[in-house]
Amino acid sequence: MAERPRDETPEMRRLRKKIDALDRKIVGLLNERADLGREVGRAKFAAGRRAITDREREREVLLRVSMANAGPLPQADLLAMYRRLIAATKALEAQD
């Protein structure tokens, strides 16, 4: 690991440890969501649907995410992250 700057305070270390722990949780949740997306893809295939993209569902997800955002993360940034997440999940579905 990289050496810590000498001017890092105990408070900064404490906060960074919390961020690191939260990052681990976020990664776990993102992978859980991706697994569920893959399951949806398999269910679509089993039901005879060949299209991976469901624009209406994507709009619903983005709307729900927008409504859940109380900040401070800007709406545009959050939506960009979710659009990327949706794209990555669709790519996993396509691999299956």
Side-chain angles (χ1 to χ4, degrees), residues 10-28:
E11 178 65 1
M12 289 168 60
R13 269 192 302 281
R14 183 187 71 76
L15 292 169
R16 287 177 174 158
K17 282 182 182 181
K18 287 180 79 168
I19 288 171
D20 293 345
L22 189 56
D23 284 342
R24 286 189 295 277
K25 289 179 187 176
I26 290 168
V27 168

Side-chain angles (χ1 to χ4, degrees), residues 17-72:
K17 282 182 182 181
K18 287 180 79 168
I19 288 171
D20 293 345
L22 189 56
D23 284 342
R24 286 189 295 277
K25 289 179 187 176
I26 290 168
V27 168
L29 290 170
L30 289 171
N31 282 309
E32 183 178 347
R33 189 189 190 287
D35 283 337
L36 289 169
R38 292 176 80 186
E39 287 182 40
V40 167
R42 288 190 283 272
K44 283 191 249 181
F45 184 80
R49 288 184 55 193
R50 299 298 178 248
I52 292 172
T53 299
D54 183 343
R55 298 264 185 238
E56 184 59 31
R57 172 65 181 156
E58 289 177 23
R59 277 192 288 276
E60 290 171 7
V61 168
L62 294 175
L63 178 61
R64 258 193 293 285
V65 166
S66 294
M67 291 170 47
N69 186 23

